[in-house]
Amino acid sequence: AQTVTQSQPEMSVQEAETVTLSCTYDTSESDYYLFWYKQPPSRQMILVIRQEAYKQQNATENRFSVNFQKAAKSFSLKISDSQLGDAAMYFCASYGGSQGNLIFGKGTKLSVKP
Amino acid sequence: DAGITQSPRYKITETGRQVTLMCHQTWSHSYMFWYRQDLGHGLRLIYYSAAADITDKGEVPDGYVVSRSKTENFPLTLESATRSQTSVYFCATHLDRANYEQYFGPGTRLTVT
């Protein structure tokens, strides 16, 4: 069974600084995808970034980038120039199971200090 | 507006009552999912559907029933609500398996007293 582990229940960052959220996963699939979702207080799940496992290049979306280490099964999210609006729960997720669903980590709550 | 809607957004019910949470999508995507979100557990799959009239269990299906007579609707029913079903419920969809991103509804916060 696939598993996703987020070892940091809470993180804090100063506004304009950089923060990295950790995620490790375990899968027996050869073809899979990894995602980071953001959940602000509104509760809406918002896709931040995704990574295809077959791509060696790390995905980047504006201030958000990932460090994908396939051999280590690690998929961390880096947020640069943190903004107050980045404060949220962040969930790491993997896709690749037969059911077509996402497997989620338990989440990391990010606080941004002004 | 295109997207996924869920209703109600908030619901309080009593133990033993039947409750139905509604999910509607405007895209006609084949796959739809129900997740529950609990503190310390992230999101866990309850049921999913690959197409109309095709449904299957996920990780935590006990106490829930689903149906999908139309592609755009995927209701989730708690047949006899229990306090352990107090949670936030999310409906999601993606376009077959070519688009692996999942789009989520706004969620329903259910409290069972």
Side-chain angles (χ1 to χ4, degrees):
Chain A
Q2 294 187 57
T3 60
V4 176
T5 302
Q6 294 179 249
S7 59
Q8 306 153 315
E10 296 187 22
M11 292 283 286
S12 179
V13 64
Q14 205 72 31
E15 193 175 8
E17 297 294 308
T18 295
V19 65
T20 298
L21 308 184
S22 301
C23 173
T24 58
Y25 63 94
D26 191 14
T27 179
S28 57
E29 302 286 336
S30 58
D31 183 20
Y32 56 93
Y33 295 73
L34 299 166
F35 304 88
W36 279 98
Y37 278 86
K38 171 185 177 181
Q39 186 182 44
S42 67
R43 212 165 61 210
Q44 182 68 50
M45 295 289 287
I46 302 166
L47 179 68
V48 174
I49 200 166
R50 82 171 200 173
Q51 174 79 43
E52 291 89 339
Y54 64 86
K55 290 187 177 179
Q56 294 185 342
Q57 186 173 8
N58 289 326
T60 299
E61 289 287 343
N62 300 314
R63 298 182 295 107
F64 299 87
S65 61
V66 299
N67 183 6
F68 175 47
Q69 301 290 328
K70 191 172 183 179
K73 294 185 177 179
S74 171
F75 182 60
S76 59
L77 175 69
K78 185 172 81 171
I79 306 175
S80 303
D81 186 26
S82 297
Q83 302 176 356
L84 296 177
D86 294 334
M89 281 290 289
Y90 286 82
F91 291 97
C92 179
S94 71
Y95 172 90
S98 59
Q99 296 174 326
N101 61 296
L102 297 179
I103 305 296
F104 286 87
K106 295 181 179 181
T108 296
K109 183 178 182 180
L110 178 66
S111 301
V112 180
K113 298 178 181 179
Chain B
D1 291 337
I4 303 176
T5 57
Q6 292 184 236
S7 61
R9 294 293 312 278
Y10 300 90
K11 176 73 176 180
I12 300 174
T13 191
E14 296 177 343
T15 300
R17 290 192 179 269
Q18 183 180 79
V19 177
T20 296
L21 309 183
M22 303 302 294
C23 177
H24 174 80
Q25 56 137 334
T26 60
W27 294 302
S28 296
H29 290 187
S30 296
Y31 280 84
M32 295 187 75
F33 307 87
W34 274 107
Y35 294 90
R36 61 178 288 174
Q37 181 181 13
D38 303 292
L39 193 64
H41 287 280
L43 280 76
R44 293 178 292 175
L45 182 69
I46 305 171
Y47 268 95
Y48 72 101
S49 170
D53 296 322
I54 301 175
T55 62
D56 206 349
K57 297 177 180 179
E59 180 185 355
V60 289
D62 292 344
Y64 303 95
V65 174
V66 295
S67 62
R68 194 160 176 215
S69 56
K70 294 183 178 181
T71 300
E72 60 268 27
N73 296 325
F74 190 37
L76 176 73
T77 297
L78 288 66
E79 294 186 298
S80 178
T82 65
R83 289 195 179 90
S84 65
Q85 293 177 309
T86 292
S87 187
V88 178
Y89 291 86
F90 286 97
C91 180
T93 183
H94 69 71
L95 179 60
D96 296 317
R97 294 194 177 186
N99 183 346
Y100 297 102
E101 298 172 17
Q102 292 202 358
Y103 303 91
F104 286 82
T108 294
R109 179 179 292 278
L110 176 68
T111 301
V112 183
T113 62

